[in-house]
Amino acid sequence: HAPELAASSAESAAAELIERHRQGIARAAERREIERQLADAEQLCAEQIERQSAAERELDDLVRAAGVGGVADLEVAEARSEEARKLDEELAALDARLFELGGNADTLRAELGGEDLDAVTARLEGADEELDQLRRHGSELDVRIGGAQSGLLDLEHPRAKAAEAAAEAESCLARVRNLAESYIKVKVAGALLSREIERYRKENQGPIVSRASELFHRLTLGSFAALTTTFDEKDQPVLRGVRTDGSEIAIDGMSDGTRDQLFLALRLSTLERYVAAHEPMPLVLDDILVHFDDDRARAALEVLGDLATHTQVLFFTHHTRLVDLATQTLPKGKVFVREIDRPLPSPSASVAANGAQK
């Protein structure tokens, strides 16, 4: 192993061999460490190469998804994304200005045509829901853009993910543009129709409620003095009954019979107002007095008898008690009773111009 030491003494050669052995052990350990570090470096290099290949493939996919010719064209896509965000802000500002657009009612009516309130409301709700979905989707895109930009900084390509987000944002922008005009029209239509409903309520509520108060007082035999309108905790108009002592009762606090009398008073009041300005037409009633006691049933029949002087009243019932009350309460010649299972008389004899059909 060391022929050069053959001429040395045994002690000197042994000492040299021992020193060489020690150095060899140290160098072997150093070599193993270097080989380990080299293997780690080769593994890291392979991972970096794979990561670079994956990044290049992802960049190619993003460029195709953005519909651009290359990475340099992503600046244009990023500008479109910025334009989409600005347009979204402008749409939000339009929502705040919608009621200003409703100032010229005649122009709005001409634009809206014969839109039905229920249809407009349904379309408005659908548009609101879809716009909310678009806004949520836009927020998700912002998050994805932020994550993409963070990852691309590591790969020294910060605009690749932005291109994908820009393409999706442009797609959303196209949908928003398609909805914007119809959304504004529906929103303004809803506001205009609400105004018209409120105007009609103000013009007709007073006379109808006033007459209904008189009828309600008669139908309840004086238990209630009148009706009054007030506002609930949501600032919506509500109807309440006023007792003779001045206390007010909400509709849900009334009995079934009293509620029936209230609704009958409102219906008859509205009908009287209609008949006063239009051609009269028969009023058909089907067992509306089933929850009335005899006294209140008589009062209701008297009210119907008064209405029969203006239009024909056809009253259907299964209860002979109500037939007896009608014949006892109403003047002779003002009520005509006909059993359904009996043949009807000739048309000339079956119609009473100012009578009540029983």
Side-chain angles (χ1 to χ4, degrees):
H1 294 290
E4 70 275 9
L5 298 178
S8 303
S9 62
E11 292 83 4
S12 176
E16 180 65 21
L17 288 173
I18 291 172
E19 177 60 25
R20 288 183 182 183
H21 179 68
R22 185 188 63 77
Q23 292 178 0
I25 291 173
R27 289 172 181 173
E30 182 178 357
R31 178 176 178 173
R32 287 193 297 272
E33 177 62 23
I34 291 174
E35 289 175 346
R36 186 191 64 77
Q37 292 178 1
L38 179 60
D40 292 343
E42 289 175 347
Q43 177 65 26
L44 180 61
C45 181
E47 293 175 355
Q48 292 295 336
I49 291 174
E50 177 61 26
R51 185 180 179 188
Q52 180 180 0
S53 298
E56 289 174 351
R57 290 193 298 271
E58 186 177 1
L59 282 174
D60 293 338
D61 294 338
L62 292 173
V63 168
R64 287 193 297 271
V68 296
V71 176
D73 296 331
L74 290 177
E75 293 184 358
V76 178
E78 186 177 27
R80 291 178 179 176
S81 177
E82 180 64 23
E83 180 185 0
R85 284 193 290 271
K86 289 181 179 180
L87 288 174
D88 190 66
E89 293 174 357
E90 293 176 3
L91 286 174
L94 285 175
D95 189 53
R97 296 175 53 196
L98 285 174
F99 284 100
E100 297 177 6
L101 297 177
N104 191 336
D106 293 334
T107 302
L108 290 174
R109 290 192 187 97
E111 293 179 357
L112 294 174
E115 291 286 350
D116 179 73
L117 177 59
D118 293 337
V120 169
T121 302
R123 288 170 56 193
L124 177 59
E125 292 175 353
D128 285 339
E129 181 178 356
E130 189 162 2
L131 285 174
D132 288 341
Q133 293 176 355
L134 290 176
R135 292 191 182 99
R136 289 194 296 269
H137 187 55
S139 299
E140 294 173 0
L141 288 178
D142 289 339
V143 173
R144 294 177 60 185
I145 289 172
Q149 289 176 340
S150 176
L152 289 173
L153 285 174
D154 296 337
L155 299 175
E156 299 181 353
H157 295 289
R159 294 190 178 91
K161 286 288 186 180
E164 179 183 5
E168 294 185 13
E170 180 134 356
S171 176
C172 293
L173 177 61
R175 294 180 63 193
V176 169
R177 284 172 173 168
N178 291 334
L179 290 171
E181 182 176 357
S182 61
Y183 171 79
I184 293 174
K185 287 183 178 180
V186 169
K187 194 75 173 180
V188 175
L192 179 59
L193 290 174
S194 296
R195 293 182 186 178
E196 291 300 313
I197 291 172
E198 180 64 17
R199 179 191 62 78
Y200 179 84
R201 185 185 66 80
K202 290 180 178 179
E203 291 180 357
N204 293 274
Q205 175 178 282
I208 290 177
V209 172
S210 177
R211 176 56 179 161
S213 294
E214 300 175 4
L215 296 175
F216 190 49
H217 177 72
R218 291 180 59 184
L219 294 173
T220 59
L221 303 178
S223 177
F224 283 85
L227 296 171
T228 184
T229 55
T230 183
F231 293 88
D232 59 12
E233 62 277 3
K234 296 181 181 180
D235 202 30
Q236 296 296 320
V238 295
L239 192 66
R240 301 172 70 89
V242 181
R243 293 280 195 185
T244 54
D245 59 2
S247 60
E248 297 182 1
I249 305 295
I251 294 178
D252 55 8
M254 299 177 182
S255 66
D256 290 343
T258 302
R259 281 198 294 268
D260 286 351
Q261 290 144 24
L262 170 59
F263 296 143
L264 178 60
L266 291 170
R267 290 290 188 182
L268 294 180
S269 175
T270 304
L271 182 61
E272 287 181 357
R273 184 172 175 82
Y274 177 86
V275 170
H278 300 82
E279 184 73 17
M281 58 189 302
L283 170 64
V284 181
L285 304 171
D286 185 9
D287 261 342
I288 63 170
L289 306 181
V290 292
H291 295 298
F292 289 34
D293 58 29
D294 287 355
D295 291 335
R296 296 195 178 192
R298 290 189 184 92
L301 290 168
E302 290 177 353
V303 171
L304 293 176
D306 294 341
L307 181 62
T309 61
H310 303 287
T311 187
Q312 187 181 34
V313 178
L314 304 175
F315 186 94
F316 293 88
T317 182
H318 295 84
H319 304 280
T320 57
R321 175 181 66 88
L322 295 176
V323 176
D324 296 338
L325 289 176
T327 55
Q328 296 169 9
T329 302
L330 298 176
K332 185 177 180 180
K334 202 168 187 178
V335 57
F336 299 89
V337 179
R338 171 61 55 185
E339 296 290 340
I340 296 298
D341 57 353
R342 296 180 182 176
L344 294 174
S346 62
S348 60
S350 63
V351 177
N354 292 318
Q357 185 83 5
K358 198 67 170 164

